[in-house]
Amino acid sequence: MGQVFGQAGVPGGAGVSGGRPAGAPARRSGGGARGAARRPGRGTKPRFGFGLIGPRRDRHSVPLDQLGALALPVGDDGLVVGVDAEGRPAVLGINRPSPYDVTLIGGLWTAQVIALRAAATGARIAVETGRAQAWTALAQAAGGGQPCITLHDVGRVPPQGASAGSPVVVIRDCGMRPPRGRVVSGPWQSVVTLLPYLSPVAPRLLEKSSLVGVQRVSPDEAAQIGRIMGLQRTESEALSTLADGVTLWCTPNDRQFVMTQATDAETGLLGGARRMD
């Protein structure tokens, strides 16, 4: 922006002492008009709302072909579930204003990492499980003493009262044949269903889920999952050879292999990545 005000902030560039009416006595200021402008005092007109005149610098310009150098990498919003094949963060946007169902055919370790990282985003985690002993240490360690992860018996999850300011993630760890849950997905309440293997109820869950995660499975299971999810042959064949901690995340329009890398704190609490428990 160009300079609008003069030395003393008066439009037109006039000093504070300049332009007095004819016949008016001259005011002694120790340095004339310039001294009054430099040293605000009784005779200085205040610059309401503008403060002091700051330093003046030359304008900066960047050639059009160099604008790309000013770009900053900005990723998606959500929890970092791992890194993709190029080493870039893979983000799972699990807190949403609309119902969101996730099915993970995989190990308990990955589900617990997701629970910890979802809690770190400010979500409350309700775990519906028939093996509470496997979740107790995690629930006690998370939240620094705050009950951000709560455990419930199968079929006993109470209403959570999810909202934009207090989103909820319900993790259903109910074995091969999870019953229909009393608490379902809704605005700001996502449901993650963990299946250790491909079970008879899996096709129904996969078809209704917004996001599906698949870890290492048998070749027969991989072929069936490939048919349900419309995977390419190379993708479905890879499912039987995945390393521990690797998940193929699928949506109707996207496929991505992701490696979940635990932090030191997560490793100390959960141990190393594993497919079997």
Side-chain angles (χ1 to χ4, degrees):
M1 294 177 62
Q3 184 174 345
V4 178
F5 291 90
Q7 282 186 330
V10 179
V16 170
S17 299
R20 65 181 183 274
R27 186 188 300 272
R28 294 186 178 182
S29 58
R34 289 186 180 178
R38 291 196 192 99
R39 298 188 299 275
R42 230 181 242 182
T44 303
K45 188 173 182 179
R47 303 173 69 247
F48 294 109
F50 292 95
L52 300 176
I53 297 178
R56 296 292 181 260
R57 296 289 183 267
D58 294 336
R59 295 180 178 181
H60 297 278
S61 60
V62 177
L64 184 62
D65 59 350
Q66 297 182 13
L67 283 177
L70 302 179
L72 295 176
V74 178
D76 296 328
D77 183 22
L79 65 91
V80 178
V81 74
V83 295
D84 62 14
E86 286 74 35
R88 298 171 300 191
V91 179
L92 177 58
I94 203 168
N95 299 326
R96 297 171 178 260
S98 57
Y100 197 65
D101 288 282
V102 180
T103 297
L104 172 63
I105 302 175
L108 177 65
W109 183 88
T110 301
Q112 291 185 331
V113 170
I114 291 174
L116 277 175
R117 296 183 182 183
T121 68
R124 291 182 288 119
I125 313 300
V127 180
E128 180 183 6
T129 180
R131 46 177 174 174
Q133 71 280 358
W135 289 87
T136 300
L138 174 67
Q140 292 175 345
Q146 298 297 322
C148 62
I149 298 181
T150 57
L151 307 183
H152 308 273
D153 292 333
V154 176
R156 298 293 184 88
V157 181
Q160 297 296 304
S163 65
S166 183
V168 173
V169 178
V170 178
I171 296 182
R172 307 196 69 212
D173 175 26
C174 305
M176 295 285 291
R177 296 174 179 266
R180 294 186 182 272
R182 293 174 54 190
V183 178
V184 298
S185 62
W188 303 110
Q189 179 166 290
S190 300
V191 175
V192 179
T193 301
L194 174 64
L195 297 177
Y197 299 103
L198 192 68
S199 69
V201 301
R204 173 180 58 83
L205 291 174
L206 298 184
E207 290 172 357
K208 79 164 192 173
S209 294
S210 304
L211 178 69
V212 173
V214 185
Q215 297 189 301
R216 187 173 62 249
V217 291
S218 68
D220 290 341
E221 291 174 314
Q224 186 175 352
I225 292 172
R227 289 192 297 270
I228 297 172
M229 299 302 301
L231 302 179
Q232 297 180 4
R233 181 177 178 180
T234 55
E235 294 171 336
S236 60
E237 290 178 347
L239 294 179
S240 60
T241 63
L242 296 180
D244 290 344
V246 177
T247 308
L248 174 63
W249 292 102
C250 312
T251 69
N253 302 314
D254 193 20
R255 313 279 188 267
Q256 190 172 56
F257 287 95
V258 174
M259 166 68 80
T260 300
Q261 299 172 322
T263 64
D264 292 341
E266 291 168 345
T267 301
L269 180 61
L270 305 176
R274 58 192 181 276
R275 171 63 175 92
M276 301 292 294
D277 292 289

